């Protein structure tokens, strides 16, 4: 069966500044949160732990984000490769600390602004539309250390200034914007999204929801400001979406799974798309002793700044069970739950579920009826360079093909899907594990976990497959 993707469908790839730019201390850039995250297995434990100290200790750890894959210096070569694949859109983030090195300055860093001008001009040369994430796990470190991250309301003002600066500067170059990457991941890993490390488990929820409230406000203001400065802009939210399945038909489990889905998948969407805290929020806040400091006018501002579209990442579903035995805990995905007996997992334990993507699309469209864009999806895998220099990543092609088929099904269902940017279209540093060896790209980068490698770029088999897919607007799967 061939699928009918709409004309002008936005095919492309996605990245984030901290995971691929490198040049972490060049061009006047200040340190940001990702610059203090070590590479390797320690990272995941740190991300979910308490009391992180935000210091760089090179005697103990390596810091792969410092060099990334050096897009900062190689952007022309990389964009030419994206163009060769026929990208219509390229998702990247702006590193806030390139524009405001400490985050709280009043004047921006011209060198940082000029860098993104060069990148956008290069994209424009090939007719590739930039899709810019304003905040992708890159809170300036100074705001974390001195202000306590997004728990502190002052960050809303600093963010306003950053946003106004980039909207004004790039108003003729960038039409598609996303405010906060995977905003709903915040309570799960506050360090990444909210730029603070919880003191203990008790304060985690309270501080995370307060931080989220500040981000909701900042996002709403950004949408309003963006529409004023760039009248034809399209500004979206960005969710980490994982459909939640009940482990079985026991109504207790079904209800539990439903509430988990509400909290994880819909809480932030309800605020950012509908402009209101969801109906189930009060009970949840009461039961978890969460008291939000909401100032007069905040809710009205949130209501006025609803997004134009929803973007989301999709890697896996989650299977949920109310009461879990110790053996069942920890057998599921990174995002929790129990093992799903119907699914296989990647080498990192992420359960592969293409139909889950169709479910996600239907759930989101059914609830909100706004255009959707998948801005992350892909398979993190170990790749091998063959003796002849080729990379035969058929497993990646299979993964993507099955997911794209389900997108076709969802469009057939009636879902308004406008684009797809596969994650890590060029190999880059993994966010959760800090590894180079967890590769997602169509383009291989010769760089390894021990820091060795030439950074040379090579086209994988999937490169040619994706090129044909884009050429045929999704018909040649
Ligand atoms: C998302 C993040 C990305 C990205 C991706 C893959 O959660 O928005 O930054 O890295 O997941 O995850 P990982 O890099 O951990 O494999």
């Amino acid at each position: 069966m061939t699928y009918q993707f709409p004309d002008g469908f936005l095919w492309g790839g996605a990245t984030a500044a901290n995971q691929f730019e490198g040049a972490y201390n060049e061009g006047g850039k200040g340190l940001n949160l990702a610059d203090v995250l070590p590479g390797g297995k320690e990272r995941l434990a740190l991300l979910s732990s308490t009391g992180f100290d935000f210091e760089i200790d090179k005697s103990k750890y390596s810091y792969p984000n410092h060099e990334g894959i050096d897009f900062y210096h190689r952007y022309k070569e990389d964009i030419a490769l994206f163009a060769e694949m026929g990208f219509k859109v390229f998702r990247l983030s702006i590193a806030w600390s390139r524009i405001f090195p400490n985050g709280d300055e009043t004047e921006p860093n011209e060198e940082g602004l000029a860098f993104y001008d060069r990148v956008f001009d290069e994209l424009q040369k090939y007719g590739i539309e930039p899709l810019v994430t304003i905040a992708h796990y890159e809170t300036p470190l100074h705001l974390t250390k001195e202000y306590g991250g997004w728990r502190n309301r002052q960050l809303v003002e600093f963010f306003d200034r950053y946003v106004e600066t980039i909207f004004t500067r790039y108003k003729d170059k960038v039409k598609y914007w996303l405010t906060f990457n995977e905003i709903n991941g915040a309570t799960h890993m506050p360090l990444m999204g909210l730029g603070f490390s919880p003191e203990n488990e008790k304060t985690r929820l309270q501080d995370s929801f307060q931080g989220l409230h500040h981000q909701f406000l900042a996002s709403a203001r950004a949408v309003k400001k963006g529409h004023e400065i760039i009248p034809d802009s399209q500004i979206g939210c960005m969710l980490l979406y994982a459909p939640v399945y009940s482990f079985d038909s026991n109504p207790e489990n079904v209800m539990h799974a439903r509430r988990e889905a509400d909290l994880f998948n819909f809480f932030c969407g309800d605020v950012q798309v509908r402009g209101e805290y969801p109906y189930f929020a009060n009970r949840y806040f009461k039961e978890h002793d969460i008291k939000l400091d909401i100032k007069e006018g905040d809710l009205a501002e949130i209501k006025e700044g609803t997004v134009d579209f929803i973007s989301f990442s999709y890697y896996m579903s989650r299977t949920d069970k109310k009461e879990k035995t110790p053996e069942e805990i920890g057998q599921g995905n990174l995002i929790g739950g129990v093992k799903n007996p119907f699914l296989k997992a990647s080498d990192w334990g992420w359960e592969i579920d293409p139909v889950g993507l169709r479910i996600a699309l239907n759930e989101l469209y059914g609830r909100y009826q706004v255009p959707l864009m998948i801005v992350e999806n892909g398979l993190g895998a170990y790749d091998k360079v063959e003796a002849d220099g080729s990379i035969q990543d058929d497993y990646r092609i299979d993964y993507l093909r099955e997911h794209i088929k389900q997108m076709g099904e969802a469009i057939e269902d009636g879902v308004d899907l406008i684009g797809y940017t596969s994650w890590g279209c060029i190999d880059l540093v993994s966010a959760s594990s800090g590894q180079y060896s967890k590769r997602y790209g169509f383009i291989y980068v010769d760089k390894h976990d021990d820091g060795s490698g030439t950074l040379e770029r090579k086209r994988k088999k999937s490169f040619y497959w994706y090129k044909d897919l884009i050429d045929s607007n999704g018909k040649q799967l």
Side-chain angles (χ1 to χ4, degrees):
M1 163 151 186
T2 55
Y3 294 97
Q4 197 63 46
F5 286 87
D7 288 345
F9 191 79
L10 294 166
W11 296 103
T15 57
N18 73 90
Q19 291 171 258
F20 90 141
E21 277 180 5
Y24 82 110
N25 58 4
E26 288 181 49
K29 175 179 164 296
L31 290 179
N32 65 34
L33 183 77
D35 294 323
V36 296
L37 295 180
K41 290 197 192 81
E42 292 92 347
R43 182 182 291 200
L44 192 57
L46 264 182
L47 291 177
S48 23
S49 70
T50 52
F52 180 54
D53 66 3
F54 302 103
E55 298 300 332
I56 294 177
D57 182 353
K58 289 191 176 166
S59 68
K60 231 164 128 192
Y61 300 119
S62 66
Y63 294 89
N65 298 64
H66 290 190
E67 194 182 353
I69 56 156
D70 198 31
F71 176 80
Y72 189 79
H73 297 110
R74 294 165 195 250
Y75 65 93
K76 286 193 179 175
E77 180 190 349
D78 293 342
I79 291 171
L81 286 165
F82 302 150
E84 193 181 322
M85 274 187 280
F87 277 21
K88 311 286 180 221
V89 62
F90 175 56
R91 177 178 176 225
L92 71 168
S93 68
I94 291 180
W96 184 352
S97 68
R98 278 201 194 284
I99 311 300
F100 289 97
N102 282 325
D104 59 357
E105 297 91 341
T106 48
E107 291 305 318
N109 168 36
E110 174 55 33
E111 245 185 297
L113 287 167
F115 167 65
Y116 294 105
D117 265 324
R118 293 196 292 277
V119 171
F120 298 142
D121 290 346
E122 198 65 17
L123 289 167
Q124 202 171 37
K125 199 165 114 185
Y126 297 102
I128 302 174
E129 195 80 57
L131 165 64
V132 173
T133 318
I134 300 172
H136 192 131
Y137 301 153
E138 289 149 344
T139 309
L141 195 61
H142 178 73
L143 299 185
T144 284
K145 286 178 142 178
E146 299 302 318
Y147 295 86
W150 279 94
R151 283 175 293 191
N152 189 328
R153 193 178 167 99
Q154 278 179 278
L155 264 75
V156 181
E157 312 300 327
F158 302 143
F159 189 78
D160 280 355
R161 193 177 304 144
Y162 160 53
V163 163
E164 181 158 358
T165 305
I166 57 176
F167 282 159
T168 308
R169 176 77 171 219
Y170 305 124
K171 65 177 183 325
D172 298 322
K173 301 183 180 180
V174 182
K175 178 173 155 194
Y176 290 99
W177 300 86
L178 308 176
T179 54
F180 291 93
N181 183 62
E182 295 188 334
I183 188 165
N184 56 320
T187 53
H188 193 59
M189 286 185 188
L191 190 61
M192 297 279 259
L194 296 168
F196 76 89
S197 182
E199 277 77 35
N200 55 57
E201 284 310 318
K202 213 173 164 279
T203 56
R204 170 198 288 268
L205 271 187
Q206 167 66 37
D207 287 347
S208 298
F209 276 99
Q210 187 62 52
L212 265 182
H213 178 72
H214 295 148
Q215 290 194 339
F216 292 148
L217 187 61
S219 173
R221 286 188 187 173
V223 173
K224 223 178 144 203
K225 179 75 57 181
H227 288 158
E228 279 162 25
I229 300 177
I230 318 171
D232 66 341
S233 59
Q234 291 290 312
I235 306 174
C237 59
M238 198 304 198
L239 306 173
L240 194 186
Y241 200 91
V244 183
Y245 306 147
S246 173
F247 178 73
D248 58 21
S249 54
N250 176 348
E252 292 288 344
N253 284 336
V254 175
M255 184 61 222
H256 191 265
R258 184 187 167 127
R259 199 45 90 229
E260 286 295 303
D262 285 340
L263 285 164
F264 191 74
N265 289 323
F266 299 123
F267 191 102
C268 295
D270 282 4
V271 180
Q272 294 187 287
V273 184
R274 292 173 165 170
E276 282 171 19
Y277 274 87
Y279 71 92
F280 51 83
N282 279 341
R283 178 172 185 174
Y284 181 80
F285 287 161
K286 211 163 25 183
E287 288 178 356
H288 292 82
D289 203 19
I290 296 164
K291 292 186 184 72
L292 290 192
D293 182 9
I294 298 181
K295 305 265 185 252
E296 208 191 322
D298 285 2
L299 297 178
E301 278 197 77
I302 286 173
K303 186 88 193 168
E304 283 170 23
T306 55
V307 294
D308 302 312
F309 68 100
I310 298 173
S311 78
F312 66 102
S313 62
Y314 176 77
Y315 294 95
M316 59 196 128
S317 52
R318 174 172 19 152
T319 302
D320 182 69
K321 200 173 175 198
K322 191 176 177 193
E323 309 285 350
K324 295 182 265 297
T325 63
E327 301 79 63
E328 286 170 324
I329 295 172
Q331 281 204 16
N333 278 315
L334 177 76
I335 49 169
V338 299
K339 195 169 163 38
N340 185 326
F342 299 97
L343 301 177
K344 293 203 177 72
S346 78
D347 288 336
W348 280 261
W350 295 20
E351 285 176 330
I352 300 169
D353 181 7
V355 177
L357 179 55
R358 180 176 174 191
I359 296 171
L361 287 162
N362 275 275
E363 285 180 348
L364 279 168
Y365 195 64
R367 191 171 181 111
Y368 300 116
Q369 279 99 41
V370 296
L372 304 179
M373 201 187 299
I374 299 160
V375 294
E376 286 187 31
N377 171 240
L379 180 69
Y382 295 106
D383 287 336
K384 183 167 163 256
V385 183
E386 305 294 336
D388 66 359
S390 67
I391 297 117
Q392 303 293 326
D393 56 342
D394 294 277
Y395 37 89
R396 181 168 294 111
I397 296 172
D398 290 344
Y399 176 102
L400 295 170
R401 181 190 291 120
E402 292 313 309
H403 283 78
I404 292 170
K405 277 185 190 166
Q406 296 300 324
M407 287 158 44
E409 293 289 343
I411 290 171
E412 193 73 15
D413 291 334
V415 170
D416 183 8
L417 179 63
I418 59 173
Y420 176 79
T421 58
S422 153
W423 174 252
C425 48
I426 180 164
D427 290 349
L428 39 63
V429 179
S430 153
S432 61
S433 73
Q435 291 168 300
Y436 283 107
S437 54
K438 190 178 186 189
R439 298 175 182 275
Y440 286 88
F442 303 113
I443 301 162
Y444 182 88
V445 178
D446 181 39
K447 188 74 187 166
H448 309 281
D449 292 342
D450 63 3
S452 67
T454 61
L455 291 167
E456 188 200 342
R457 277 63 168 151
K458 287 178 196 294
R459 296 164 184 82
K460 302 183 192 176
K461 186 173 176 183
S462 57
F463 180 100
Y464 302 101
W465 173 82
Y466 198 48
K467 179 180 184 329
D468 288 346
L469 176 108
I470 296 177
D471 265 357
S472 65
N473 195 25
K475 286 205 174 63
Q476 196 162 318
L477 269 165

